[in-house]
Amino acid sequence: MERTPVVFIHGAWLHALSWEPWVARFAGRGFLAVAPGWPGEAAAVADVRASPEPLSRIGLDALTDHYAEFVRSFDTAPVIVGHSVGGLIAQHLIAADVGRAAVAIAPAPVNDIPLPASPGRLLRRDRCDPADELVPLSPEQFHRAIANTLEAEESGRLYDRYVVPAPRRLLADLGCADAPRSPRAAADVGNAGRGPLLLISGQEDRLVPDEATRAVYKQYGDTMAVTDLKQFADRAHSLVIDSGWRFVADYVLGWLDEHGIRAHQPEG
């Protein structure tokens, strides 16, 4: 029996280690769970913070190509689970028939869905100018923008463990500060032959508000492909890393099972 791969894609301001409890949870259920970092991302958060320059060259094209190549490297088509910009990439890939199924958690909006106003309020808009530089978050900004439902102690602990700077180029590709969006910030919502897609939102998310994810969900309304939406009440953008992560992860595991996607499948 072959193990079904699950590829986790993290979002801006988080390190690949942010998926460590998910990887353990999915591996414990029998999946081949992996969380590859972004191109040039060091294996340790401290190393990224000490030498973040490799991240500054990353745009949405390079990031999407990086994960498309990784997903295609498996003999068995993986499930793709992405958070934030990783959720956008997950949708782009599954719509292009790359991967078996996809889960987009608090995803950056695709297509013509407007970027939420909240990032512009929470971060200086001039930080999103298209340039090869990095945009750090202070502990206070992280708490306000991403971990707003958490106590200060938990927010600070998550910041110390997982937070790294984000590339300005990537933020520009997403359309920050009215920069033109990259063509990769799109998904073929009409592809009826793609694998199942689950969209997840947090009711109290300030960075990618629930209404933005619901607007994306409506775009899939005319396709015959499986598209589901789940909202988690009282959860912020940190819902994949905070103390409630297991509720989200187990919901995803249950959703996969409902759609016949098991940890092991017959060879051949």
Side-chain angles (χ1 to χ4, degrees):
M1 301 286 283
E2 293 184 1
R3 297 171 68 194
T4 301
V6 180
V7 176
F8 295 95
I9 307 175
H10 68 85
W13 292 296
L14 293 179
H15 188 274
L17 288 175
S18 59
W19 289 116
E20 57 186 351
W22 286 69
V23 168
R25 185 70 169 166
F26 276 66
R29 294 291 186 91
F31 289 95
L32 177 60
V34 288
W38 289 6
E41 179 180 280
V45 172
D47 292 337
V48 175
R49 290 176 176 173
S51 300
E53 293 78 15
L55 293 183
S56 68
R57 297 187 290 270
I58 296 176
L60 190 57
D61 281 358
L63 202 56
T64 303
D65 288 343
H66 172 73
Y67 283 106
E69 181 179 3
F70 188 84
V71 170
R72 288 190 176 109
S73 70
F74 291 89
D75 292 333
T76 300
V79 175
I80 307 168
V81 180
H83 173 239
S84 196
V85 68
L88 184 157
I89 293 170
Q91 290 177 80
H92 180 90
L93 293 182
I94 197 66
D97 298 317
V98 180
R100 181 176 179 182
V103 179
I105 305 172
V110 297
N111 301 337
D112 59 350
I113 302 299
L115 282 176
S118 49
R121 292 194 300 267
L122 296 164
L123 306 171
R124 294 201 312 271
R125 291 188 65 83
D126 62 3
R127 287 185 161 197
C128 292
D129 289 343
D132 291 345
E133 299 177 11
L134 293 160
V135 180
L137 280 186
S138 68
E140 294 75 22
Q141 287 173 317
F142 174 75
H143 192 192
R144 187 166 66 249
I146 294 176
N148 49 286
T149 60
L150 308 183
E151 297 294 333
E153 185 277 331
E154 183 179 3
S155 177
R157 177 163 42 82
L158 294 174
Y159 180 91
D160 291 341
R161 188 170 185 84
Y162 298 130
V163 174
V164 296
R168 286 182 191 257
R169 174 183 290 182
L170 176 60
L171 299 178
D173 284 347
L174 296 175
C176 287
D178 299 321
R181 284 200 211 185
S182 165
R184 296 296 185 90
D188 179 5
V189 295
N191 180 0
R194 63 159 169 81
L197 170 65
L198 171 63
L199 300 169
I200 292 177
S201 67
Q203 186 181 40
E204 301 301 326
D205 193 328
R206 291 179 175 175
L207 201 63
V208 182
D210 171 68
E211 57 264 28
T213 304
R214 290 183 178 276
V216 170
Y217 174 67
K218 288 180 181 178
Q219 287 208 344
Y220 289 98
D222 293 332
T223 181
M224 296 299 293
V226 171
T227 311
D228 293 323
L229 174 67
K230 170 64 177 177
Q231 180 204 67
F232 282 88
D234 304 320
R235 302 299 298 279
H237 201 66
S238 61
L239 76 171
V240 297
I241 57 172
D242 60 35
S243 58
W245 70 268
R246 190 186 299 267
F247 294 104
V248 185
D250 285 353
Y251 185 89
V252 173
L253 285 164
W255 179 83
L256 292 173
D257 187 67
E258 287 175 9
H259 292 286
I261 301 173
R262 314 283 192 243
H264 297 86
Q265 57 185 26
E267 295 182 8

